[in-house]
Amino acid sequence: MTGSRRRQWRAALTGALAGSLVVLLGACGVVDTEDDRRAAEELAEKHFPGQLKALGARTLFPGSGGSEVTFAVTDDRDAVVRLRIDTDRADQGLCDRKDCAGALAEAVKRGRQQAEDFRTLKGAFDACGYEVIALGTTGTPPYVVAELTNATVTKVLGEVGECVQRWVSASGAAGTLAKAQGSYVNVVSPAVADRRDRGKDSWPTVMRLTRSDLLASLTKQAYFSASYEIEAGRVDTNGSARVVRPLRERQKFGDTVQNAVKEQLRATYPRVVMSTYQWIWRLEPGRVDRQTGYVLFCPEPEARGRCVNSDDAALVTTDEHGNPVGRIRLVHDVREGTGALRLPPY
């Protein structure tokens, strides 16, 4: 492959396939990954003989040289091991700027621990009737399936909260969750879940459930993120939830809210300017068609006619499209100088 063709191939992959499983197992295998994969396989056979099976390799982007080689673990159906190799330094025994033998040992340990953590998570959610169909790229949050409506949202949030409590308890007092202050679970509709990119059953479970193309298939439409507070290992199983929208929907929702609030504020502040900052919008208890959040504004334009360091906010409840319902409440002195916001809880 000539240099120009290689650059064209890299550009095409960067724009269309970066991070996808096609890159991992397919096309990227022909772009400077063969030597890296071969070196990784030799390393694995030397230090973990018969324990690791190479599945594929992908070029790391942006391309500063190097590949990520993925292995299955022969005695653990769930575990996946990912090793980064620096192409220009592999002959010096360096992987991800570390000693290759040590880097591989760390990767194997990490992969086995992730698989064990997944089994703990899966067991907890299976026991309360919710299948985990995906995981965030780091192994959390879990994704489960439920239809949230005004009639079901309280029940579902409570049931998923019980799953989280089982998960925390199963993780043990020494586990990260027992010391955490909160956790969250993503909830997708059955219709979206049925159309998800399931991958192949032959792939390691953690690899299959954390793939970027699977997550993309679940998040290309709006879904719910359920949050649960944890204190001393005890979970507030009531939880709360918010809608997570794709970018265009989020922008449209934000524009609708900001424009509507601006019109109401003009009666008091004729020169009001709205901030483009989007705060977290939480569902009202027992409702999926009502959500509450803050909109920031400046009574007078700041530099260049914009609103950048707003010290004023409006607490608004809207319908699912962003149209305000009910009374808007103003809150002032919400910022420490030009620094952090101090918005009151709601």
Side-chain angles (χ1 to χ4, degrees):
M1 181 179 287
T2 66
S4 61
R5 288 181 62 196
R6 180 175 295 154
R7 286 191 294 272
Q8 293 171 359
W9 185 247
R10 284 184 185 275
L13 287 175
T14 302
L17 298 175
S20 74
L21 196 66
V22 176
V23 172
L24 180 63
L25 298 179
C28 198
V30 300
V31 185
D32 297 338
T33 59
E34 295 95 335
D35 290 344
D36 294 339
R37 173 170 175 164
R38 189 177 304 112
E41 289 179 303
E42 292 173 358
L43 187 71
E45 190 56 32
K46 178 180 179 180
H47 295 283
F48 294 90
Q51 298 179 50
L52 302 178
K53 178 184 177 182
L55 299 175
R58 68 181 180 95
T59 300
L60 296 172
F61 292 102
S64 58
S67 306
E68 182 180 79
V69 182
T70 305
F71 296 91
V73 179
T74 55
D75 65 350
D76 191 330
R77 177 70 184 80
D78 299 320
V80 60
V81 173
R82 297 182 175 94
L83 176 69
R84 291 191 168 198
I85 291 186
D86 302 324
T87 300
D88 297 333
R89 301 182 184 182
D91 59 353
Q92 304 172 30
L94 294 179
C95 295
D96 200 17
R97 301 182 181 181
K98 304 174 184 176
D99 170 72
C100 277
L104 179 59
E106 289 180 10
V108 171
K109 181 179 179 181
R110 184 167 55 249
R112 288 188 179 278
Q113 185 61 56
Q114 288 175 340
E116 190 61 38
D117 292 343
F118 164 70
R119 287 188 284 270
T120 300
L121 166 63
K122 181 179 185 301
F125 277 75
D126 283 351
C128 61
Y130 283 85
E131 177 190 5
V132 175
I133 64 167
L135 301 166
T137 53
T138 61
T140 56
Y143 287 70
V144 300
V145 183
E147 193 71 70
L148 294 191
T149 66
N150 287 347
T152 66
V153 61
T154 301
K155 175 176 180 290
V156 170
L157 288 182
E159 291 174 346
V160 173
E162 292 294 339
C163 296
V164 175
Q165 181 63 74
R166 288 175 178 265
W167 181 22
V168 170
S169 299
S171 297
T176 304
L177 272 176
K179 304 171 186 176
Q181 296 181 325
S183 184
Y184 65 102
V185 178
N186 291 334
V187 183
V188 300
S189 72
V192 170
D194 287 345
R195 295 192 298 270
R196 71 186 184 275
D197 187 319
R198 297 171 186 266
K200 296 181 180 179
D201 290 339
S202 60
W203 295 334
T205 311
V206 172
M207 172 183 167
R208 180 164 47 82
L209 296 188
T210 58
R211 291 173 300 113
S212 58
D213 43 357
L214 168 60
L215 299 180
S217 71
L218 294 174
T219 59
K220 63 184 178 182
Q221 296 185 39
Y223 62 95
F224 296 93
S225 177
S227 301
Y228 299 91
E229 294 182 0
I230 304 174
E231 184 175 353
R234 298 303 303 172
V235 177
D236 179 359
T237 57
N238 292 320
S240 62
R242 64 188 180 95
V243 182
V244 182
R245 299 175 178 84
L247 178 60
R248 289 186 179 179
E249 287 186 31
R250 185 166 69 248
Q251 290 174 332
K252 183 178 180 181
F253 177 91
D255 289 345
T256 300
V257 177
Q258 289 161 2
N259 290 336
V261 172
K262 182 177 182 179
E263 286 303 311
Q264 293 193 39
L265 290 176
R266 275 179 173 165
T268 305
Y269 307 108
R271 301 184 64 208
V272 65
V273 179
M274 307 304 297
S275 168
T276 58
Y277 181 78
Q278 290 248 16
W279 192 244
I280 296 173
W281 293 84
R282 299 201 179 278
L283 297 181
E284 285 290 290
R287 303 288 293 266
V288 296
D289 58 350
R290 294 289 184 271
Q291 49 208 303
T292 298
Y294 282 104
V295 174
L296 304 181
F297 69 94
C298 296
E300 298 281 337
E302 294 181 336
R304 299 181 181 179
R306 296 182 300 170
C307 178
V308 179
N309 294 312
S310 171
D311 199 29
D312 301 274
L315 185 63
V316 190
T317 297
T318 78
D319 64 16
E320 61 266 45
H321 305 295
N323 300 301
V325 294
R327 180 172 170 268
I328 293 176
R329 181 165 69 90
L330 302 186
V331 183
H332 305 287
D333 301 320
V334 298
R335 190 183 297 275
E336 298 177 3
T338 58
L341 288 168
R342 303 175 302 180
L343 292 167
Y346 53 89

